[in-house]
Structures are given as C-alpha cells and as structure tokens.
Amino acid sequence: MISEIKKIGIIGAGQMGNGIAHVCSLSKYEVILNDLDKDNLDKGMATIQGNMARQVSKGAISEEQMQAALDNITPSLALDSMSEVDLVIEAATEHEETKRKIFSAVTPILRPEALIASNTSSLSITRLAAATDRAEQFIGIHFMNPVPVMKLIELVRGIATDENTFKTAKQFADNLGKTVAVSEDFPAFMVNRILLPMINEAVYTLYEGVGNVQSIDTAMRLGANHPMGPLQLADFIGLDTCLSIMQVLYEGLADTKYRPCPLLVKYVEAGWLGRKSQRGFYDYRGEVPIPTR
Ligand SMILES: CC(=O)CC(=O)SCCNC(=O)CCNC(=O)[C@H](O)C(C)(C)COP(=O)(O)OP(=O)(O)OC[C@H]1O[C@@H](n2cnc3c(N)ncnc32)[C@H](O)[C@@H]1OP(=O)(O)O
Ligand SMILES: NC(=O)C1=CN([C@@H]2O[C@H](COP(=O)(O)OP(=O)(O)OC[C@H]3O[C@@H](n4cnc5c(N)ncnc54)[C@H](OP(=O)(O)O)[C@@H]3O)[C@@H](O)[C@H]2O)C=CC1
C-alpha cells in the first residue's frame, strides 16, 4: 500500500501535463513526463522552462530551484518508463476512449501498489476507474489551468476509491501548496459544472448576434470583474476541451440546458481550437490577438 508519493508519471505533455510536471518538480517530486509525440514532449519541456524562467525573473523561485526542478523531470515517449512510479496522473486529451486505452496500456507496467489519477475535466471517475485493474487506487485529481498559478485542486472519489488513496492524494495536493475542494463524481464536477455553461452561453450570445467577440469579453471582464472574458477563456482552455465537457454535461445530465452551442461545434470542426492551434474566437497568429467575429 502506497502512502507517500515520491515518483510521479504524467501521461500527456499538453498544457495541463506540462503544468502538472512544473509544479510537481518544483515540489521536489521525481517526474516522468510522457507523450506519444516527440514534438509535443519537446514543446511541453520548453513551456516548463519558459514559465520557470519567468518565475526566476520575478523572484518567485531561484535559478538553483529552477535547475533542480528541471533535473527532476525525465521526458519519455514509452510507457515502460512508468514501471517505478508511485502515482500516474493521466492528462491526455479529454476523450474517454483515449483515456481508457491509456489505462489498458499502462496498468500491466505499473507496480501493483501504484495509484492512478486522472486530470479529466468532466468524465466519470467511477467509469474510468472501472477501465483499470485497481478501482480502489484510482482518483480524480483535477488541476486548474494555468497549473502553476491556480490554487485549486478538485479531488473526486469514484465509487470504489479507498480511504488510503484519498488521503495520499490529499497529502500530495497539500505538498504542492494547493487548496483542495472535494467533489462528488457527477458530470464535470463543480468548477466546470458552473464555468462551462457560462462559456457555452457566451458562445450562444455571439451566435445570436447579441454582441461580437470583443464586446462579450469586455462586458464580462469589466462588468463582472472576470480576469479573462469567457471567449478568451474558452480559447485558453481549448475549444475541443470545452465542447467535450459540454457534451458530457448534456449526455450525463440529460438536460437540454447543456446543449453545446452549434457555433462552438463549428469552430472545433474547423480545427480552430483556440490558443493551442493559433486560432479560435481570436486569431493569435499576429502580434496581438484579433477577434474572428
Ligand atoms: C477546464 C478545466 O477543467 C478547469 C479549468 O482550469 S478552467 C480555467 C480556470 N482558469 C481561469 O479561469 C484563469 C482565468 N485567468 C486568470 O486567472 C488570469 O488571466 C491569468 C492568471 C491566467 C493570467 O493573469 P494576468 O494578470 O492576465 O497575466 P499575467 O500578469 O501575465 O499573470 C499573472 C501571474 O501569473 C503568472 N503566470 C501566468 N501564466 C503562467 C504560467 N503558465 N506559468 C507560470 N506562471 C504564470 C505570471 O507570471 C504572473 O505572476 P506574478 O503575479 O508573480 O507577476
Ligand atoms: N485545458 C484546460 O484548461 C484543462 C484541461 N484539463 C484536462 O486535462 C486533460 C488534458 O488537457 P490539455 O492539457 O488541455 O490538452 P492538450 O490537448 O493540451 O494536451 C493533451 C496531450 O495529450 C497527448 N495525448 C493524446 N493521447 C495520448 C496518449 N495516448 N498518450 C500520451 N499522450 C497523449 C496529446 O497529443 P496529441 O495532441 O498529439 O493528440 C497532447 O499532447 C484533459 O482531460 C482536459 O479535460 C483539466 C483542467 C483544465
């Protein structure tokens, strides 16, 4: 039975995976950062280095801390590297089948006592846990974006998650300096149950011509004091991820109030996924973001 985490495997080196690697390595955990794609892995490592360098320039961490943290991260393209870890955090694309395939591939490699977590934004922890050989040792550890800045972690137990797994995950979140909010295992948990319908409503507001991209974002930034407008935030999260979360809410709660806006669907179908693909509700290819509507 594992009660203390020392070595962590992270699957998926996208914006969340690299952010999780960033905070874990700074908290002195040994980290294996895995992705299928070498370019993604290189980009993830470069992002970590860039974000840590910014923290050094602001005096938040020292040059030595940055170097030690970077030395704590081993990039990996093969799941074999997970054989020694105490905890795997899956942070791959928000797609249930993708996550299930990852769990089937990684469980035979893991030590039997290793814990498994998913950073899923919305999917059922109970269902994901059932795709592994250790539902008792499976938990949702839901970080917020950008991980180095946001203070919250949602912890989500599946129906079978045991007390040791919960306590160990809670201790891990405490060690990272994050605050935990415990959520029951319902579609999209708490933050996204509230946040994503607001973002979806902002897209409907755009779709129905009530305002353009800029006016909707300005309205919510200055009218409700949100740090980012909802369309800017959607681009930041990733429009594919936003759509997946809305689909999980719509199907999981069987209520038409969660119907994904057809305009959101259209942007995703176009491959306009937000910042990560350089185009979404804004076009990021120039010096300043230009609204696309
Ligand atoms: C989808 C899900 O499943 C769940 C989710 O995560 S939903 C998304 C939740 N996240 C949000 O809602 C984010 C909303 N936005 C914000 O809070 C802010 O706009 C922001 C923190 C992202 C940026 O803040 P800002 O004031 O506009 O910009 P900026 O001054 O550059 O950054 C603020 C601080 O964060 C730091 N920062 C920003 N991004 C960072 C990153 N990726 N890594 C490290 N530090 C970062 C900056 O260095 C700066 O630090 P100091 O305060 O020490 O100077
Ligand atoms: N974006 C956000 O604001 C937040 C997202 N999350 C959740 O975190 C998870 C990751 O999201 P995010 O980082 O934004 O997504 P990204 O698209 O930025 O990153 C996902 C990464 O996982 C890779 N990947 C896909 N399949 C596999 C696989 N089989 N093995 C290894 N790597 C794989 C992707 O590669 P490729 O692109 O080549 O497919 C990509 O590099 C999702 O579950 C999401 O819901 C949670 C909190 C906030």
Side-chain angles (χ1 to χ4, degrees):
M1 186 166 84
I2 281 185
S3 55
E4 195 195 347
I5 306 292
K6 291 190 178 132
K7 193 164 178 174
I8 298 171
I10 298 169
I11 301 180
Q15 55 182 339
M16 293 309 291
N18 77 58
I20 297 167
H22 177 135
V23 296
C24 291
S25 66
L26 270 178
S27 293
K28 301 194 167 61
Y29 289 103
E30 235 185 290
V31 175
I32 312 270
L33 181 59
N34 169 273
D35 201 289
L36 286 177
D37 186 276
K38 170 131 182 21
D39 283 351
N40 290 349
L41 207 49
D42 291 347
K43 229 165 87 189
M45 290 302 292
T47 302
I48 296 170
Q49 187 142 16
N51 283 333
M52 284 189 188
R54 187 161 54 157
Q55 286 178 300
V56 171
S57 72
K58 293 193 164 171
I61 59 170
S62 68
E63 187 75 47
E64 293 70 38
Q65 279 174 302
M66 165 168 163
Q67 206 42 62
L70 290 173
D71 290 346
N72 280 344
I73 307 176
T74 308
S76 134
L77 285 167
L79 285 178
D80 297 355
S81 57
M82 299 291 159
S83 62
E84 301 288 310
V85 303
D86 303 309
L87 166 69
V88 168
I89 304 176
E90 172 279 312
T93 316
E94 186 73 347
H95 180 240
E96 186 158 341
E97 201 40 43
T98 301
K99 293 183 188 296
R100 281 174 173 274
K101 281 190 183 146
I102 289 172
F103 296 135
S104 309
V106 80
T107 41
I109 295 163
L110 295 176
R111 292 152 62 212
E113 60 272 33
L115 307 184
I116 308 179
S118 175
N119 185 51
T120 179
S121 294
S122 59
L123 295 165
S124 161
I125 296 302
T126 298
R127 227 168 37 232
L128 292 178
T132 74
D133 57 356
R134 58 193 83 191
E136 301 76 14
Q137 290 159 234
F138 192 100
I139 190 162
I141 304 184
H142 183 212
F143 290 81
M144 305 293 138
N145 186 14
V147 181
V149 179
M150 305 301 281
K151 294 191 168 53
L152 187 78
I153 286 180
E154 282 183 314
L155 280 187
V156 189
R157 291 183 184 92
I159 199 166
T161 307
D162 69 20
E163 198 48 28
N164 179 62
T165 301
F166 178 80
K167 277 193 185 143
T168 310
K170 168 78 171 61
Q171 185 61 54
F172 166 62
D174 291 345
N175 291 350
L176 296 179
K178 304 291 187 193
T179 299
V180 163
V182 177
S183 173
E184 290 300 321
D185 186 19
F186 285 101
F189 319 124
M190 298 183 298
V191 170
N192 289 331
R193 169 84 177 254
I194 299 166
L195 184 65
L196 264 294
M198 183 201 72
I199 288 176
N200 194 46
E201 200 58 34
V203 186
Y204 270 113
T205 308
L206 178 66
Y207 180 61
E208 291 171 11
V210 181
N212 62 24
V213 168
Q214 195 138 32
S215 56
I216 292 167
D217 275 351
T218 302
M220 291 306 286
R221 270 192 301 106
L222 304 186
N225 245 2
H226 289 194
M228 287 175 166
L231 300 171
Q232 188 190 4
L233 182 56
D235 276 359
F236 182 64
I237 291 169
L239 302 190
D240 52 341
T241 304
C242 291
L243 178 59
S244 297
I245 298 169
M246 285 313 299
Q247 280 162 340
V248 167
L249 281 168
Y250 183 51
E251 285 156 23
L253 298 170
D255 189 330
T256 53
K257 77 178 177 183
Y258 299 111
R259 195 171 96 251
C261 179
L263 187 60
L264 178 61
V265 175
K266 192 180 278 201
Y267 270 72
V268 173
E269 284 174 350
W272 292 17
L273 306 182
R275 280 206 207 174
K276 65 182 164 189
S277 66
Q278 296 277 296
R279 219 174 345 178
F281 293 113
Y282 294 84
D283 186 333
Y284 300 90
R285 291 171 300 171
E287 273 190 10
V288 288
I290 309 283
T292 53
R293 266 168 193 262

